[in-house]
Amino acid sequence: MDTSFQHDLEKLKVDVLTIFHNAREAVHQSRKALLDRDEVVAREVIDGDEDINALECAIDAEILRLLALNQPVAKDLRFIVGCMRMVVGIERIGDEAAGIAARALGILDRQPLPRSMLVEELFGFARESMRKAAKAFADLDADLARELCVDSEDALELNIKIFKEMNEYMIAESRTVERAVQMCFVAHALKRVCDQCSNIAESVIFIKEGACNRHRCD
């Protein structure tokens, strides 16, 4: 066994977990930006998205190098291809966090809507989905990955509930429309975070079992 190649695979795993950590932190901070109305944090999340993008490019380059120089097969090839798929989803999680932060900035000059427990719940759900996705990848745990796929339905249900709640605000008082619409977009962004975690879970199953699990959680 080529120990240098195995070392490179371990480094790739660490790099994927690193970019995932950064994306998770961005989502966590976007919650603070939105719910605590923190302009400084919002701008930090938006600026930090460039770092996530740069990490994605670096990991892509490393993956291409590994494929070109080592021509891996079997489980090693599955691992590299799975990482390639995951990094795309992780970068999109960073984009969603930056989008939430941008929406937080957009409504800073308005009176806040009443605190939504549903939005709080969806932030918590997204955080737990990201934790499970990271653990499933770190441990190559296909069972946990399948659990994540099932969980994605709960994220969709919460997303729909928030849209209904915001619609009630808009009906009650037209002046709240802009803020309520922004919160709807936040809910959709968080639901997309959970979707990306489900995609990551599908890649874990692919790496571990060599089986395509795409679209089975739709």
Side-chain angles (χ1 to χ4, degrees), residues 20-196:
F20 200 8
H21 170 78
N22 291 359
R24 290 170 65 189
E25 183 64 17
V27 174
H28 176 69
Q29 291 297 94
S30 74
R31 175 192 177 280
K32 179 176 176 62
L34 180 74
L35 300 183
D36 295 346
R37 299 170 65 81
D38 193 320
E39 180 179 358
V40 173
V41 171
R43 297 194 184 281
E44 287 175 350
V45 172
I46 293 168
D47 292 342
D49 191 45
E50 293 183 7
D51 295 332
I52 294 174
N53 292 343
L55 268 174
E56 181 199 19
C57 292
I59 292 171
D60 277 349
E62 178 63 12
I63 286 172
L64 291 175
R65 186 186 72 82
L66 290 174
L67 290 172
L69 297 182
N70 297 280
Q71 299 181 350
V73 296
K75 66 178 183 179
D76 290 337
L77 178 60
R78 293 203 309 270
F79 179 78
I80 294 171
V81 172
C83 287
M84 184 185 298
R85 291 175 178 174
M86 281 186 223
V87 169
V88 173
I90 293 168
E91 189 275 332
R92 287 175 181 167
I93 288 174
D95 287 344
E96 298 295 353
I100 292 170
R103 294 188 186 284
L105 287 178
I107 57 176
L108 272 179
D109 61 343
R110 307 297 176 88
Q111 283 295 111
L113 290 171
R115 193 103 167 183
S116 169
M117 295 308 297
L118 288 172
V119 172
E120 291 267 23
E121 185 178 353
L122 189 49
F123 266 112
F125 193 93
R127 182 173 60 250
E128 180 64 7
S129 292
M130 290 184 289
R131 184 194 69 78
K132 286 182 178 179
K135 181 171 175 55
F137 172 60
D139 299 341
L140 291 184
D141 187 335
D143 290 334
L144 181 58
R146 288 191 177 91
E147 182 182 319
L148 252 174
C149 291
V150 175
D151 287 349
S152 65
E153 292 299 317
D154 294 331
L156 175 59
E157 184 178 342
L158 273 172
N159 186 38
I160 292 170
K161 285 181 179 179
I162 292 169
F163 270 78
K164 289 180 178 178
E165 180 182 62
M166 294 303 135
N167 188 54
E168 290 173 5
Y169 284 138
M170 290 185 279
I171 291 172
E173 185 179 353
S174 61
R175 286 176 297 175
T176 67
V177 168
E178 181 185 359
R179 284 163 290 163
V181 167
Q182 297 293 354
M183 293 300 282
C184 287
F185 280 116
V186 166
H188 183 69
L190 290 170
K191 189 262 180 186
R192 288 295 299 149
V193 167
C194 295
D195 286 344
Q196 295 302 335

